[in-house]
Amino acid sequence: MAYSDKVLDHYNNPRNVGSFDKKDPNVGTGMVGAPECGDVMKLQVKVNPATGIIEDAKFKTFGCGSAIASSSLATEWLRGKTVDEALAIKNTDIVNELSLPPVKIHCSVLAEDAIKAAIDDYKKKSENVGVESKAHA
Amino acid sequence: MKLPIYMDNHATTPVDPRVFKAMIPYFTDTFGNAASRNHSFGWVAEDAVEKARKQVAELIGATAKEIVFTSGATESDNLALKGVAEMYAEKGNHIITAATEHKAILDTCKRLEKEGYKVTYLPVETNGLVDLDKLRAAMTDKTILVSIMYANNEIGVLQPVAEISKIAKERGALFHTDATQAIGKVPVDVIKDGIDLASISAHKMYGPKGVGALYVRRRNPRVQLTAQMDGGGHERGMRSGTLNVPGIVGLGEACAIAKAEMSEEIKRMSYLRDKLKARLMSSLDEVYINGTMEHRLPNNLNISFAYVEGESLLMGINEIAVSSGSACTSATLEPSYVLKALGAGDDLAHSSIRFGLGRFNTEEEVDYVAAKVIDVVQKLRELSPLYEMHKEGIDLTKVQWTAH
């Protein structure tokens, strides 16, 4: 199979590889996929609680080159977006940007799921922080 | 050393220049039809075919009359299974094979099932081998054929064919073996191994594509087949169709070279393969060999690099031609059914790479491949959330994954 230049670029120079501390209240972690399916993506966002802006994003991916590229691209797009803007990223945007063939569309779906899971995790954490602080008050 | 490096010799092999040279005259100067009995063009072609028939027979301890030329091992498998099933239908309707066979066997068996035959697909043990007790238990009075491959095309394990044929014979069944990967690589002897039918391919042993053979035993017992290709009655009526004379000459020459050089080649392949294995396993942790090393083709190494997905690894070593059992590299989006049959888990199937060494690989290439694979596996593990979790001591089998 031939890979697009953009997939190759992300595969050869993946952006924002790494991990944040999961316990940090400003960090949202999304982990999607399963080893037996051949793809697992971990995507993390670090949100500024005052502005609601994603200041940093990191990923680690077990999967094919297209899965690595999809998650690498997602971290690039997430940085600087608000949480709500991030939720508007669609898998089809990733498909178009990376010129993914039909058999690799599931990689983009997984990346969208990972974004949603990470934001969801962050929101749950910040709500809990709110509840706790009220309880203490 | 030239790039890219070809290390996928279970898929196909290059034609040996000596084989190619032997074939050349039969395309142009001596182009006759081997079935033309009334002029010298035909006689020359027929002589060449009969010489090749003898060369193939000698490699496997058979006689020339027991060799039927075909278009390749897939056709040979089809002819053996369908031909025996049809011929012996009155005797019984049961066939035994194994879950790790090539699709040419499995899909032929599925076709026969649709036609009313019963097929038992034996599981294999974690080492890739058939359990002889399970074979014994599966045999019935209706069993007409046991078909178990000699060497597996993915993991290279060698089945205990001599024991298997003995069990088949005790119950009056015939024994067929798809010996595509074994013939020319390891000694195969139809007498010692008790083989009644064997499928042979030229392009896996440095011969041309599009030609193969089926060994059909003529004595003790005399195996009969119903032809699957009707026509001019070539090949003693078992396979009609004008003979592919240059291809057959190539197959014969490939067999003669294999016979002459096999003992040296086994030593050289084992040395290179073992060196590759040792380099990979000493530099990387969490590396697993698929299938037994004890009973294995000398040129095969099938290895899983845990926490790294196979296609992404192939992408990183794109100057090296190898195969992966990962779903992403197959048309079906399913990981290798052979590796799944070993029970190693789908995750290890997704992480597997098959190295198939060949006659033309050099030690320098093996060193380059080892270094490159180690480098890319390490890079991809830096990227792998699973490797990170493993390092944190998390048991991945206990994690609740979100399957998609």
Side-chain angles (χ1 to χ4, degrees), chain A residues 1 3 7-8 11 14 17 19 31-42 59-65 68 103-104 106 110, chain B residues 307-309 311-313 315-317 327-328 333 335 346-347 350-351 376 380-386 388-389 396 401-404:
Chain A
M1 190 187 318
Y3 300 97
V7 169
L8 285 171
Y11 173 83
V17 176
S19 302
M31 176 112 85
V32 295
E36 58 267 30
C37 302
D39 320 90
V40 175
M41 278 182 197
K42 187 183 82 165
F59 86 98
K60 283 202 174 191
T61 290
F62 163 83
C64 65
I68 290 169
V103 293
K104 296 296 182 187
H106 72 277
L110 209 58
Chain B
Y307 318 120
V308 170
E309 196 277 327
E311 188 192 333
S312 65
L313 178 51
M315 230 174 131
I317 56 169
C328 290
L333 289 178
D346 282 8
D347 45 344
H350 283 294
S351 300
V376 175
L380 289 170
R381 280 182 173 171
E382 286 298 306
L383 268 184
S384 170
L386 304 180
E388 182 182 66
M389 291 164 83
L396 294 178
W401 301 102
T402 58
H404 62 290

